[in-house]
Amino acid sequence: MILVTTRFPKIVEMVTKESNPIDLRGLDPDEFWKFFQICAFGRIQDEHGDQELIGIARKIADKLKCSPLAAKTVGRLLIKKPFQELWMKILDNKEWLEENHDNDIIPALKISYDYLPFHLKKCFSCFSLFPDDYKFGKLEIIRFWDSIGIIDYPKQNKKFEDIGSDYLDELLDNGFHIKGDDNNYVMHDLLHDLSRKVSLEECAYISCSTFEANEIPQSIRYLSIFMHDDIHVKSFEEGMEMKEFHVKNASVGFELGELGKLEVLGGELKISGLENVRTSQEAEEAKLMEKRNLVKLGLVWNSKQESTGDDILDSLKPHSNIRILCIVNHGGSVGPSWLCSNIIYMRNLETLHLERVSWANLPPIGQMYHLRKLKLKNILGISQIGPDFFGGTTEKSFTHLMEVQFYDMPDLVEWVGGANCHLFSRLEKISCTGCPMLTTLLISGWPISSSEGNTKWFPSLRDLYILRCPKLCLPPMPHTSMVSSIDTDCLSYYRTTLNIWKPSELVFHNLGDVERLTIWDESCFSFMDLQKIHSLRHIYRVQTLELRQFSLTRKSLSNLFECFPALSRLDVSTSSNEDHEEVVLQFPPSSSLRNVRFVGCKNLILPVDEEEGVGFCGISSLESVAIINCNKLFSRWPMGGGGVQTQSIIYPLPPSLKKLSLEGEVSTLPMALLANLTSLTSLELFNCKDITVDGFVSLITINLEHLYVHNRRDGEAEPYSVAADLLAVVARTKTLPAGSFQLVCLYVDSISAVLVAPICSRLSATLQRLSFDCDWRTEKLTEEQDEALRLLTSLRILWFNGCRALRSLPQGLHRLPSLQELRIWGTQKIRSLPKEGLPDSLRLLDIHNCSPEIYEECQKLRGTRPDIHIHDGLTIVDNKTSNILEETKKIQIRRKHAGSSSYMPNSAVDTHTPSTPDLSPLRSAA
C-alpha cells in the first residue's frame, strides 16, 4: 500500500483515479482548544485563571483553523508575553485579513514571524534559499549565516559558532524549526512557504533548467541554484554580484564554464576549489577577462598546495579594471605573467594579497603606482624586502601606499629602504605578526635614549602592530604625535589609553591625551623619568592608573601621587606576598580620587591620627574603596571604634563613600568603624572572619541597594557568619519601619538570618535578587521561614549555591509572584522540586551539580511547563578514572522577557565543595 499526503489539489487529481481521497481537517475544536491552552498558557486553564486573557485566547484560537502547527507557533509567541495589551494587538492584527481560503494558516504564522527580533528574521528568511524538506546540520547552517554576513559579532570575544548556535536555538524555541532524531534540522513546508514569502525581495531559489536570468528582480541579493540537470545560465542584469563561486568537485559546485556565461558579473567574486581545474582551456572558460565590472577578485586553491600547472593561473587572467586581487595557496613555481611581468598589466590595482605562494619572483610592486595596500602572508624564502624585491623603483613608486601587512613570514630578516626610505612617507598602517627573524623595518640602529631622526621613519604612520617578532628593535614610541594606535608585545596604546606590559622606551610628548594608564610590572616604568617631565600637561591628564606587580614603598607611593596629581581612579596590586617596610597611606590634600582599589598590599597601614597623615577620611571626593587581602590596613585602629582626637571621633573612611568592599581582612574590625557611612549604596564583606557587629549602626543600611556578606568555607569547618549577626541586629531594631530599606540585591551565607519576618517585611517592596551561598547548617525551611519568604513579593532571582545540608526547596515557591529565575548549584541533597510546583512567572530554572533525581524532574517539567527555559549541567564522575561522562545537558524551552525589539534577516565540574558563584549576573543586573 502506498500512502500519499499533499496540500495541493492537482496532485490529488493525479493519484486518486482509483481511490477515494480522505480530506484531513484540523483537530476537533474542543481538543484543539485544550491543546492551544497548553501552548499559550503552559497548562489547561481553570476558573482561577486570568479570565480576560482566556477570552482573548479563545478568539485567537478561532482564527487558527484548528491547526496544531499554528497553535504551537502562535502559542509560543503568546506564552512569552502574557500581557493583555499584546494579545489584543495580535487579535486585531490586519494580517488575519490576508487569508486566501478556509484552511489558510499562513497569516497566523506571519504574525509570529513579525514578532521575531530583527536578527532572527534575517536568519529565518534565508531558509528560502534551500529546497523543500531539506535537512541541514547545525554547523552547516551556522557557517551559511556567517558567510552571508548575518551573524552579528558583539564587542566581547565570542565565537561565531556560539552566536549562530544561539540563533538556531531561538528559532527552535519559537517553533520555526523541528529537530530530528538524527540531530539534523528541518522546516515544516508551510513555514518554508512563509520564508519565501517574507524574503521575496532579497532571496531567489532556482531549481529548474527553464528559468531566464532576466526574470530575476534587481533587488535580489542572494541567489540559490539547485541543479537537477544541465542549466543554461543566461546573462544577469548589469550589476549582479556573486560573492563566491565553488569549482565543481564530483557532485559539489559548478563548472567554470557556467561562470563564463555570466558576462556582466560585477562587484566582488571569490573563486575557490581551483585545485579541481585540470587544464588551461578549462580555466579560460571562466572568461574573467571579459568581466570588466569586477572590482575584487579572489583566486583560492585548497591548503594542500598540490602541484598545479602554471598555465592554469595564467589562463585566469582578469580584466585590468580589477582593484583588489587576492591569490591564496597557488602551488605553482611561477606567478602569472599578467601579474609578475615587468610590463604592468594590472595598472589599476589598489590592493594585493598574496598568501602561501611559492613563486620564484614576486610581482614588481614598485611599478604598481596605484597600490594602496600590500599583504604578504606565509610565504617562504623571502629574507629581505628592498629595492630588488620591489622590481625597481621610481619617484612614483609607493606614492599611494598606505598599508603594509606581513603575516607568518618565517624567513624575513629585514625590510631595508636605503636611499628610497622617503618613498614610504605616506604609509599609515604597518602590521608585522609572526616574523621571528625580523630585525629591521626600513631603518636600523636606533639610539636607545634619543628620539632624534624619528620623523624620517614613516612620518605619516598612525597604526603600528608588531606581534611575535622578538628580534625586531623599534625606535622609542610613539615616534611622532600622529601615531594614534600601537600594539606590540611590550605595550598597547590607543589615544587615551596606555597599557605597558614590558620595559619600553616611550616618547611622552607624543603620547597625546592619555587618561587611562595601566602598568603591569614596575620594572617597565621609571618614576624618576616621570618626575623629570612631570610638568608636561599630558601627565596631568591621566585620570585612571592601574599598577600591577607594584613594589609598594614609602618612596614609590609618594612618587606616584606626585607624578599623577589628577587621578580619579587608582588600582594597585603588589608584586609579591613578602612584607616590606610599613607604608602609611597618605594622600595629598588636593587629591580628587573617586575610586581606590588596593590588592595584596600587606604592608599598607591606614593612619589613625592626623599627625601621621591624611588617609581615606581626608578625601571628600572619594566614592568607592576596595581593599583585598591587605592584612595590616586597619591594624592601628582600636577595637572599640574610631580613634579619638581631642575634639571629636574620627573614622577611617569618609561619609561621602557610596561603595565599600573588604575582602580577606584579618584585623579584628568592629562595625563601629563604619558607623558614619550613611551614604553607602553597596557594601561587600568577603571572608572577613574577624569583623564583629560591635557598635553597628542600622542607619548605614538605609541607602544600601547591594549587600554581599559571606565567609569562605574551608574544609569541614563552619565559620562565623557575619551576615547572621548583622541581620540579627537589623531585625531587632525597632527604629527602622517597614519599607525603610532600598535593598535590591542580597548575597549572604545564612538562610536563617534572612528568612525572618522582620527582615523580609522590610525588603518586600525592593528586593529583587537573593543568593544563599554555602549555608551548611540549614536542612529544611521551617513554616515560619517559608511564610517569611512569601513576603518577598518583588523577588525576581533566587539562588541556592553550595547549601549542602539543604534537603528540600521552599514549598511556597509557587506563591512568589515575581520570581523569574531559580538557580540551584551544588546542593546535592535536594531530591525534588516543590510539590506545589513553581510560580507561573518563572522563566529560567538553572540546575548544576545536583542529584540525579532532580534532573529527572526537570525532564518531566519539560512537557508540562514549556514556558520555562531549563538549563541543567549534569555531571557524572567515574571514581576510578574521573572521566566526565556527561558534562552538560540543555533543555531549551525558553520564555523570554517582554520588550525585545529587533528584525529579519557549562559550568566547571566540581565533585567537592562548589566554588563561589560568579556574582556578575547579580551585580550587572543590579
Side-chain angles (χ1 to χ4, degrees):
M1 183 177 70
I2 299 175
L3 181 66
V4 178
T5 61
T6 181
R7 293 186 291 114
F8 304 104
K10 289 184 178 180
I11 297 181
V12 174
E13 294 174 4
M14 293 170 56
V15 299
T16 58
K17 294 179 180 180
E18 298 180 1
S19 60
N20 296 320
I22 299 174
D23 189 8
L24 296 176
R25 298 288 178 178
L27 295 176
D28 174 80
D30 292 337
E31 294 300 319
F32 177 78
W33 171 236
K34 293 179 182 178
F35 177 68
F36 184 62
Q37 289 181 75
I38 295 174
C39 294
F41 294 99
R43 64 188 69 183
I44 295 176
Q45 297 296 290
D46 53 26
E47 66 274 8
H48 301 296
D50 188 327
Q51 296 303 311
E52 291 184 356
L53 279 182
I54 293 173
I56 300 172
R58 170 69 80 172
K59 294 177 182 179
I60 293 175
D62 292 342
K63 295 177 177 290
L64 300 181
K65 317 299 181 185
C66 292
S67 165
L69 175 64
K72 289 172 64 177
T73 308
V74 176
R76 292 189 183 189
L77 171 62
L78 298 176
I79 201 170
K80 293 177 184 179
K81 302 175 182 179
F83 310 119
Q84 182 178 345
E85 182 181 359
L86 175 69
W87 286 27
M88 282 302 299
K89 285 183 179 180
I90 293 173
L91 178 62
D92 296 336
N93 197 302
K94 294 181 180 180
E95 197 69 42
W96 299 112
L97 302 176
E98 300 296 321
E99 294 177 0
N100 294 322
H101 51 80
D102 290 343
N103 294 322
D104 186 9
I105 66 166
I106 288 293
L109 303 180
K110 175 63 164 54
I111 290 173
S112 296
Y113 164 82
D114 288 338
Y115 280 89
L116 285 177
F118 179 77
H119 66 281
L120 293 186
K121 288 183 176 179
K122 288 193 293 184
C123 293
F124 174 74
S125 68
C126 288
F127 285 103
S128 63
L129 297 170
F130 291 85
D132 294 331
D133 301 319
Y134 183 81
K135 291 185 178 181
F136 54 88
K138 184 174 186 177
L139 193 56
E140 174 189 5
I141 192 60
I142 291 173
R143 286 176 174 170
F144 172 68
W145 285 337
D146 185 54
S147 68
I148 61 177
I150 284 179
I151 292 182
D152 182 25
Y153 288 86
K155 292 182 179 179
Q156 60 265 35
N157 188 19
K158 192 173 182 181
K159 295 180 180 179
F160 81 90
E161 294 95 338
D162 296 333
I163 302 172
S165 179
D166 291 342
Y167 289 0
L168 196 58
D169 290 342
E170 289 181 79
L171 285 173
L172 183 66
D173 295 340
N174 281 280
F176 285 88
H177 287 142
I178 301 170
K179 188 174 183 181
D181 295 333
D182 55 358
N183 284 327
N184 285 325
Y185 294 79
V186 69
M187 181 176 286
H188 192 283
D189 55 354
L190 287 175
L191 286 167
H192 197 250
D193 290 346
L194 176 64
S195 73
R196 289 184 176 164
K197 177 181 178 180
V198 298
S199 65
L200 200 58
E201 297 298 319
E202 286 198 332
C203 302
Y205 170 77
I206 297 169
S207 62
C208 66
S209 60
T210 59
F211 81 96
E212 295 289 334
N214 56 12
E215 295 177 359
I216 300 174
Q218 292 189 8
S219 63
I220 292 299
R221 298 180 61 196
Y222 307 109
L223 177 64
S224 173
I225 304 175
F226 275 75
M227 297 185 300
H228 302 290
D229 50 20
D230 293 330
I231 291 184
H232 305 286
V233 182
K234 296 188 177 180
S235 63
F236 284 78
E237 294 294 327
E238 186 168 348
M240 181 65 69
E241 181 176 311
M242 178 182 292
K243 289 193 173 182
E244 187 163 358
F245 183 94
H246 293 267
V247 178
K248 189 171 185 178
N249 177 21
S251 60
V252 179
F254 301 87
E255 300 289 350
L256 269 180
E258 296 179 82
L259 180 63
K261 296 173 184 178
L262 304 179
E263 298 172 0
V264 201
L265 197 66
E268 175 184 346
L269 174 63
K270 173 185 172 183
I271 307 176
S272 58
L274 285 170
E275 68 278 0
N276 299 317
V277 179
R278 300 305 176 190
T279 65
S280 59
Q281 290 76 16
E282 185 181 349
E284 288 174 355
E285 291 178 1
K287 297 182 180 179
L288 293 181
M289 193 160 178
E290 298 179 9
K291 302 182 190 333
R292 59 182 303 113
N293 294 322
L294 275 181
V295 176
K296 181 177 181 179
L297 177 63
L299 303 174
V300 182
W301 284 255
N302 65 17
S303 58
K304 295 180 181 179
Q305 279 196 305
E306 299 166 346
S307 179
T308 180
D310 297 323
D311 56 344
I312 290 178
L313 183 52
D314 250 342
S315 299
L316 291 170
K317 181 178 181 179
H319 195 279
S320 61
N321 286 346
I322 290 290
R323 299 286 194 276
I324 302 172
L325 177 64
C326 176
I327 301 177
V328 179
N329 295 332
H330 179 242
S333 59
V334 179
S337 58
W338 47 266
L339 181 64
C340 295
S341 170
N342 285 327
I343 302 174
I344 300 303
Y345 169 72
M346 304 296 290
R347 67 181 71 89
N348 296 313
L349 202 61
E350 296 178 357
T351 296
L352 178 60
H353 172 179
L354 300 178
E355 181 174 343
R356 291 194 75 202
V357 298
S358 305
W359 304 340
N361 295 295
L362 292 181
I365 298 169
Q367 298 180 41
M368 297 178 180
Y369 297 148
H370 294 281
L371 197 66
R372 300 170 65 88
K373 178 179 177 180
L374 173 64
K375 179 177 180 179
L376 303 179
K377 182 175 182 179
N378 207 352
I379 302 178
L380 304 178
I382 297 178
S383 61
Q384 185 186 78
I385 295 177
D388 294 337
F389 174 86
F390 293 119
T393 57
T394 70
E395 287 301 315
K396 293 183 180 181
S397 299
F398 315 118
T399 53
H400 295 90
L401 189 62
M402 300 179 69
E403 181 176 353
V404 170
Q405 298 181 14
F406 301 135
Y407 288 97
D408 300 322
M409 305 281 283
D411 302 319
L412 182 61
V413 175
E414 55 183 358
W415 173 7
V416 294
N420 297 313
C421 287
H422 65 284
L423 296 179
F424 300 98
S425 61
R426 295 194 178 183
L427 264 179
E428 294 185 359
K429 182 176 181 179
I430 297 176
S431 299
C432 295
T433 301
C435 303
M437 306 303 293
L438 185 63
T439 60
T440 304
L441 280 183
L442 207 64
I443 298 175
S444 60
W446 298 103
I448 292 300
S449 60
S450 172
S451 60
E452 295 179 5
N454 284 359
T455 55
K456 297 179 182 179
W457 189 74
F458 306 117
S460 301
L461 193 66
R462 296 179 181 274
D463 302 305
L464 178 66
Y465 301 94
I466 308 292
L467 299 172
R468 303 197 314 277
C469 301
K471 295 186 177 181
L472 182 60
C473 179
L474 292 173
M477 298 299 295
H479 67 297
T480 74
S481 59
M482 293 187 66
V483 176
S484 60
S485 177
I486 302 173
D487 197 352
T488 73
D489 293 324
C490 295
L491 65 91
S492 67
Y493 164 63
Y494 182 72
R495 294 181 181 176
T496 61
T497 302
L498 175 62
N499 286 276
I500 303 175
W501 322 107
K502 299 177 182 179
S504 308
E505 185 75 12
L506 295 171
V507 183
F508 288 97
H509 63 263
N510 289 331
L511 275 173
D513 297 330
V514 173
E515 297 180 0
R516 183 186 183 100
L517 174 61
T518 300
I519 302 170
W520 292 85
D521 188 332
E522 66 171 327
S523 63
C524 302
F525 208 73
S526 169
F527 280 112
M528 296 299 294
D529 290 342
L530 273 181
Q531 286 179 312
K532 296 175 184 177
I533 57 172
H534 74 275
S535 60
L536 292 174
R537 66 180 181 89
H538 304 91
I539 298 301
Y540 278 97
R541 292 184 62 91
V542 175
Q543 297 179 18
T544 298
L545 178 62
E546 298 180 18
L547 300 172
R548 300 287 177 261
Q549 304 298 313
F550 184 64
S551 179
L552 186 65
T553 64
R554 296 168 190 167
K555 187 174 182 179
S556 66
L557 188 64
S558 174
N559 287 338
L560 186 154
F561 292 125
E562 185 176 351
C563 292
F564 300 100
L567 286 180
S568 65
R569 181 174 179 269
L570 175 64
D571 189 338
V572 178
S573 62
T574 55
S575 55
S576 70
N577 291 324
E578 298 177 5
D579 287 339
H580 299 286
E581 59 177 354
E582 288 189 350
V583 177
V584 176
L585 183 58
Q586 299 181 28
F587 294 99
S590 59
S591 175
S592 58
L593 276 167
R594 298 176 63 184
N595 300 282
V596 175
R597 183 173 182 263
F598 288 107
V599 180
C601 302
K602 298 185 177 180
N603 58 331
L604 195 62
I605 303 294
L606 199 60
V608 176
D609 300 317
E610 291 186 356
E611 295 178 358
E612 291 184 282
V614 179
F616 289 122
C617 60
I619 308 176
S620 59
S621 58
L622 201 61
E623 295 181 356
S624 174
V625 171
I627 305 297
I628 301 172
N629 297 328
C630 300
N631 298 355
K632 298 181 180 179
L633 190 69
F634 294 97
S635 60
R636 294 188 182 181
W637 287 82
M639 289 183 56
V644 179
Q645 281 186 324
T646 56
Q647 299 295 326
S648 61
I649 296 176
I650 64 171
Y651 297 94
L653 299 163
S656 60
L657 205 64
K658 294 181 179 179
K659 296 181 179 180
L660 173 62
S661 177
L662 301 179
E663 181 174 346
E665 177 59 45
V666 299
S667 302
T668 301
L669 184 66
M671 291 290 288
L673 294 178
L674 312 180
N676 66 322
L677 303 182
T678 55
S679 298
L680 277 182
T681 61
S682 177
L683 176 61
E684 304 179 8
L685 303 174
F686 287 118
N687 208 36
C688 299
K689 300 179 181 179
D690 292 321
I691 284 186
T692 70
V693 295
D694 296 339
F696 172 71
V697 178
S698 297
L699 287 175
I700 74 169
T701 63
I702 290 293
N703 294 308
L704 275 181
E705 296 178 4
H706 312 288
L707 177 61
Y708 310 89
V709 186
H710 165 258
N711 281 341
R712 185 178 296 116
R713 270 58 175 156
D714 297 317
E716 297 299 316
E718 172 71 15
Y720 159 63
S721 174
V722 178
D725 283 1
L726 190 151
L727 291 173
V729 174
V730 174
R732 293 194 299 268
T733 304
K734 297 181 179 180
T735 57
L736 297 175
S740 59
F741 276 12
Q742 306 297 320
L743 209 61
V744 175
C745 185
L746 179 59
Y747 177 88
V748 293
D749 54 13
S750 175
I751 295 175
S752 60
V754 176
L755 298 185
V756 292
I759 294 294
C760 292
S761 61
R762 291 187 171 106
L763 302 177
S764 175
T766 61
L767 191 67
Q768 297 182 24
R769 300 163 187 87
L770 175 60
S771 176
F772 297 115
D773 186 77
C774 294
D775 181 325
W776 289 1
R777 294 187 181 96
T778 304
E779 297 183 3
K780 182 181 179 180
L781 268 64
T782 64
E783 289 185 12
E784 291 79 9
Q785 290 171 337
D786 206 65
E787 289 296 321
L789 179 64
R790 288 170 53 187
L791 297 175
L792 301 178
T793 55
S794 298
L795 193 65
R796 292 175 52 239
I797 300 174
L798 179 59
W799 195 340
F800 295 94
N801 178 64
C803 299
R804 67 182 193 181
L806 193 63
R807 296 180 179 276
S808 63
L809 290 169
Q811 292 304 309
L813 277 181
H814 67 291
R815 294 181 178 177
L816 294 176
S818 303
L819 192 65
Q820 297 181 4
E821 296 184 16
L822 175 62
R823 300 177 184 269
I824 309 167
W825 287 16
T827 306
Q828 307 241 359
K829 292 186 178 181
I830 294 179
R831 299 286 189 264
S832 64
L833 297 174
K835 293 180 180 179
E836 298 296 329
L838 300 171
D840 292 340
S841 58
L842 198 68
R843 302 295 184 269
L844 171 67
L845 177 59
D846 186 2
I847 309 291
H848 166 62
N849 200 15
C850 293
S851 66
E853 291 87 350
I854 201 166
Y855 289 112
E856 292 179 7
E857 294 223 357
C858 287
Q859 293 286 357
K860 297 176 183 177
L861 191 65
R862 180 181 187 180
T864 59
R865 289 293 304 272
D867 55 322
I868 300 177
H869 172 204
I870 305 173
H871 176 218
D872 61 35
L874 178 59
T875 303
I876 305 173
V877 180
D878 186 294
N879 290 330
K880 294 182 179 180
T881 62
S882 296
N883 290 328
I884 301 173
L885 301 179
E886 186 176 357
E887 181 178 349
T888 305
K889 292 170 61 181
K890 290 186 178 180
I891 309 170
Q892 301 190 352
I893 312 165
R894 293 183 181 171
R895 181 176 181 180
K896 289 186 180 176
H897 304 296
S900 60
S901 58
S902 314
Y903 166 80
M904 161 182 171
N906 339 30
S907 48
V909 176
D910 186 0
T911 57
H912 306 289
T913 303
S915 60
T916 300
D918 182 9
L919 288 178
S920 56
L922 294 173
R923 295 178 181 174
S924 61

